Amino acid sequence: TTLMCNTFLNNILDNKKPVYVSLEMTKEELMAKIMSIYSNIPVRKIENPNLMNNEEVELLLNKMKELHKNEFYIVDSNSLNVSKLYRILKKYTLKGSEICYVDYMQLLKTEDNQIPSETGQFRKVFKSLREAIRSVNRESKIALVLAVQSGRSVESRPLHKRIPTMGDIEWSSSIEQDAGLVIGIMNREKYEHDKCKYKDTLFVEVSKNRFGKTSKFTLSYFGDIQHITSYKGPYGNNCDE
């Protein structure tokens, strides 16, 4: 979610008129994260304004006014199926949106409004989603970015091999066939806590890239302000230990 919020903000500033469809977090929670990234004010303060000083309040208000000069759309729903998502895509492509984020895939419901729990149900949902995006893109073009949670099996591997890949998702073949780009992200601090020497670091693997080469790299992650940027630490791309 945090990486998607960072790229969503970049899309806003680039005038892509992006859409963020959240199936888990509320619009208010997402805006707190986005404004934390944009203002460099810790997200905990934005969520609890009493913690902010006068300078931070003024900065936040100015940044909000600045951001809202651009067009962007956030849709939060805990009962979204592919038919409803199709209508959302159709609506916002007509407004000129170039990219849509869905956070996250496993919470998209079946057509009878059930959360899928079996591989066959996930594949059916993704097949419907594939048909929906193709239908929308016959008339206009919009990129679709899906967040997907990996399975528990990833946690049984050595730490340096825990960057999720397509094989960590039971119904991965359904996504891999159509995806232009597949990216796995791992934060070692999640597992090692205070013992982790890779502080403020995300390890990333591009396991599929229809537009270029696959690769591994690192990003710097500043959790208090939700900001992800080019790596600024001492270890380069080395997480193989």
Side-chain angles (χ1 to χ4, degrees), residues 135-194:
S135 177
V136 170
N137 281 342
R138 288 191 190 104
E139 300 175 15
S140 55
K141 297 296 181 183
I142 186 168
L144 186 63
V145 181
L146 298 174
V148 180
Q149 289 194 342
S150 63
R152 292 287 184 181
S153 60
V154 71
E155 298 184 0
S156 64
R157 300 201 294 262
L159 275 171
H160 66 280
K161 294 184 178 180
R162 291 189 186 179
I163 302 176
T165 64
M166 291 305 300
D168 296 310
I169 304 168
E170 288 185 90
W171 37 278
S172 61
S173 59
S174 301
I175 295 179
E176 192 169 17
Q177 179 181 350
D178 288 275
L181 198 66
V182 178
I183 301 173
I185 306 166
M186 188 263 287
N187 181 356
R188 284 184 64 147
E189 281 190 82
K190 172 184 174 182
Y191 304 105
E192 296 180 295
H193 308 292
D194 293 338

Side-chain angles (χ1 to χ4, degrees), residues 6-222:
N6 275 261
T7 55
F8 182 71
L9 174 59
N10 290 340
N11 294 152
I12 294 172
L13 300 177
D14 288 340
N15 199 32
K16 301 294 185 183
K17 301 179 182 178
V19 185
Y20 198 114
V21 180
S22 175
L23 307 180
E24 185 176 37
M25 299 181 70
T26 66
K27 185 182 297 186
E28 290 74 21
E29 289 171 328
L30 281 170
M31 279 305 300
K33 292 172 75 70
I34 292 165
M35 291 311 304
S36 178
I37 300 163
Y38 195 41
S39 66
N40 288 331
I41 298 171
V43 67
R44 62 181 180 84
K45 289 189 175 184
I46 295 176
E47 292 173 338
N48 187 355
N50 291 331
L51 298 176
M52 286 192 287
N53 58 40
N54 291 337
E55 290 78 11
E56 289 171 327
V57 171
E58 184 177 359
L59 173 62
L60 181 62
L61 291 174
N62 288 336
K63 285 291 185 179
M64 289 178 68
K65 290 178 183 177
E66 188 177 300
L67 190 66
H68 279 86
K69 292 177 181 178
N70 301 279
E71 287 186 57
F72 64 94
Y73 310 97
I74 297 176
V75 180
D76 57 351
S77 173
N78 58 7
S79 60
L80 198 70
N81 58 30
V82 175
S83 295
K84 293 178 181 177
L85 179 59
Y86 169 77
R87 291 194 288 271
I88 289 170
L89 293 172
K90 191 77 172 175
K91 174 181 178 180
Y92 290 110
T93 53
L94 293 175
K95 292 178 178 288
S97 297
E98 297 181 36
I99 187 167
C100 176
Y101 296 82
V102 179
D103 186 13
Y104 57 95
M105 173 71 187
Q106 283 98 327
L107 292 180
L108 264 180
K109 294 187 175 181
T110 61
E111 288 307 302
D112 57 355
N113 291 317
Q114 301 298 313
I115 294 178
S117 58
E118 300 176 356
T119 300
Q121 291 177 315
F122 281 119
R123 286 177 176 159
K124 188 174 181 180
V125 167
F126 189 79
K127 181 181 178 181
S128 299
L129 182 60
R130 181 172 60 207
E131 292 170 354
I133 190 68
R134 284 178 176 174
S135 177
V136 170
N137 281 342
R138 288 191 190 104
E139 300 175 15
S140 55
K141 297 296 181 183
I142 186 168
L144 186 63
V145 181
L146 298 174
V148 180
Q149 289 194 342
S150 63
R152 292 287 184 181
S153 60
V154 71
E155 298 184 0
S156 64
R157 300 201 294 262
L159 275 171
H160 66 280
K161 294 184 178 180
R162 291 189 186 179
I163 302 176
T165 64
M166 291 305 300
D168 296 310
I169 304 168
E170 288 185 90
W171 37 278
S172 61
S173 59
S174 301
I175 295 179
E176 192 169 17
Q177 179 181 350
D178 288 275
L181 198 66
V182 178
I183 301 173
I185 306 166
M186 188 263 287
N187 181 356
R188 284 184 64 147
E189 281 190 82
K190 172 184 174 182
Y191 304 105
E192 296 180 295
H193 308 292
D194 293 338
K195 296 180 181 179
C196 183
K197 71 177 183 179
Y198 300 104
K199 300 290 186 183
D200 305 321
T201 302
L202 297 178
F203 295 96
V204 184
E205 180 174 358
V206 180
S207 57
K208 177 180 179 180
N209 186 356
R210 190 174 289 171
F211 316 105
K213 295 180 179 180
T214 59
S215 61
K216 290 184 178 181
F217 57 93
T218 49
L219 295 170
S220 289
Y221 168 52
F222 305 101

